[in-house]
Amino acid sequence: MLNINTTNMNKRLSFVLLLFLLASGHAFAQAGVSVWKDLSEVTYKIGQDEFGELYIPVFADKIKKLEGKVVEADGYIIPFEGMFKPEHIILSSLPLAECFFCGSGGPETVMEVLLRNPIKYTSKRVRVRGKLTLNDKDPEKLMYILKDAELLLN
């Protein structure tokens, strides 16, 4: 009889341990989720400045709630010839051939990243974490800017 109780207790302990592992795995996955899907929910209105027409981003409420929050984004560094600055990069959610500047991606697929520490250029996918700033005023800058960012290990 003592053996049966021990077996039941082992089953219960295994079940509780399994639930704990599943819950912590889910929490860990949420912490590392890239922000690109949320940032894609932007629309545009046509505006004017001294140079003519321009598209002004209209951020969905989901995006507005992210402003000022620390988020993670993964993607590819866009290597502007002669302009790569190791502490100020342009990150694309899409590979170079498909990015906003070179291919078919929209402006919502790129962001400026201001890094705490300089990094070396790589053509491999990178992941960064920083504080998200939304830009719908300055047409000289991208609409998404990640400030005080750090490079994460993949």
Side-chain angles (χ1 to χ4, degrees):
M1 187 150 176
L2 184 59
N3 246 352
I4 294 172
N5 286 339
T6 304
T7 303
N8 284 339
M9 194 159 69
N10 284 342
K11 285 181 182 178
R12 286 183 181 164
L13 183 59
S14 295
F15 181 72
V16 169
L17 183 60
L18 178 65
L19 286 176
F20 174 75
L21 289 173
L22 288 173
S24 26
H26 178 71
F28 177 76
Q30 290 298 314
V33 171
S34 184
V35 74
W36 291 116
K37 185 175 184 324
D38 291 338
L39 297 182
S40 70
E41 295 183 24
V42 62
T43 58
Y44 304 93
K45 64 182 180 184
I46 297 177
Q48 290 281 132
D49 70 1
E50 64 270 16
F51 302 108
E53 277 188 358
L54 68 144
Y55 288 92
I56 300 169
V58 179
F59 302 113
D61 288 339
K62 193 175 196 177
I63 298 172
K64 289 178 185 175
K65 289 177 184 175
L66 293 172
E67 184 162 28
K69 300 268 192 317
V70 173
V71 299
E72 290 183 13
D74 60 329
Y76 302 90
I77 298 171
I78 305 300
F80 288 107
E81 191 172 329
M83 294 180 60
F84 175 74
K85 294 181 182 173
E87 69 285 338
H88 185 180
I89 64 171
I90 305 296
L91 189 71
S92 171
S93 65
L94 302 171
L96 191 58
E98 300 171 33
C99 89
F100 173 60
F101 300 103
C102 312
S104 58
E108 71 280 357
T109 65
V110 291
M111 69 172 57
E112 288 183 59
V113 181
L114 305 171
L115 293 148
R116 290 182 202 161
N117 299 306
I119 64 169
K120 291 184 179 187
Y121 172 76
T122 178
S123 60
K124 295 179 181 172
R125 191 172 200 76
V126 298
R127 187 169 195 82
V128 294
R129 178 188 301 135
K131 189 179 291 188
L132 182 66
T133 300
L134 304 177
N135 172 37
D136 60 357
K137 304 276 188 264
D138 185 353
E140 299 293 317
K141 295 199 168 283
L142 297 177
M143 66 177 140
Y144 300 126
I145 303 168
L146 212 55
K147 295 183 177 178
D148 198 29
E150 60 182 327
L151 181 68
L152 303 175
L153 298 176
N154 283 341

